[in-house]
């Protein structure tokens, strides 16, 4: 297999070092991007849950504000004095 040459055997040492360094920078950048994405999704999820909780809280508090409790009195129409009909 003399015709097969790998990248490491035909390139100078500085190019191999540069390739390793670039790949390491890309790998570290990928990890930082993944961590950033996880944190961003967690923040968005937490804010969404907080918004839903707030809306449900407002709806629960709004149910009780529609009921009005107060005193009342009955108003009757005046009837003629000798009217025996009972309603």
């Amino acid at each position: 297999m003399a015709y097969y040459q790998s990248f490491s055997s035909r390139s100078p040492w500085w190019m191999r070092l540069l390739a390793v360094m670039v790949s390491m920078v890309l790998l570290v950048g990928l990890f930082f991007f993944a961590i950033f994405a996880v944190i961003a999704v967690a923040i968005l999820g937490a804010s969404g849950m907080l918004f839903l909780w707030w809306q449900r809280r407002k709806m629960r508090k709004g149910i009780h504000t529609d009921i009005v409790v107060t005193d009342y009195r009955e108003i009757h129409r005046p009837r003629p004095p000798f009217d025996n009909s009972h309603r």
Side-chain angles (χ1 to χ4, degrees):
M1 294 201 155
Y3 61 91
Y4 176 74
Q5 290 182 344
S6 67
F7 176 73
S8 61
S9 63
R10 63 185 150 123
S11 61
W13 66 270
W14 59 269
M15 189 170 274
R16 286 180 287 176
L17 180 65
L18 183 66
V20 168
M21 288 177 66
V22 167
S23 63
M24 291 300 287
V25 166
L26 288 175
L27 187 64
V28 169
L30 178 70
F31 281 128
F32 275 117
F33 177 75
I35 290 170
F36 175 75
V38 166
I39 290 171
V41 166
I43 289 172
L44 285 174
S47 64
M49 294 297 286
L50 183 66
F51 175 75
L52 289 175
W53 171 79
W54 187 260
Q55 292 299 321
R56 273 192 279 143
R57 181 177 174 267
K58 265 192 352 185
M59 287 175 62
R60 274 183 293 180
K61 286 179 93 176
I63 290 172
H64 301 296
T65 58
D66 294 342
I67 300 172
V68 177
V69 178
T70 184
D71 294 330
Y72 68 95
R73 63 182 188 148
E74 294 180 13
I75 301 174
H76 298 284
R77 290 187 183 167
R79 289 190 288 174
F82 299 110
D83 186 19
N84 289 335
S85 63
H86 297 287
R87 294 185 196 184

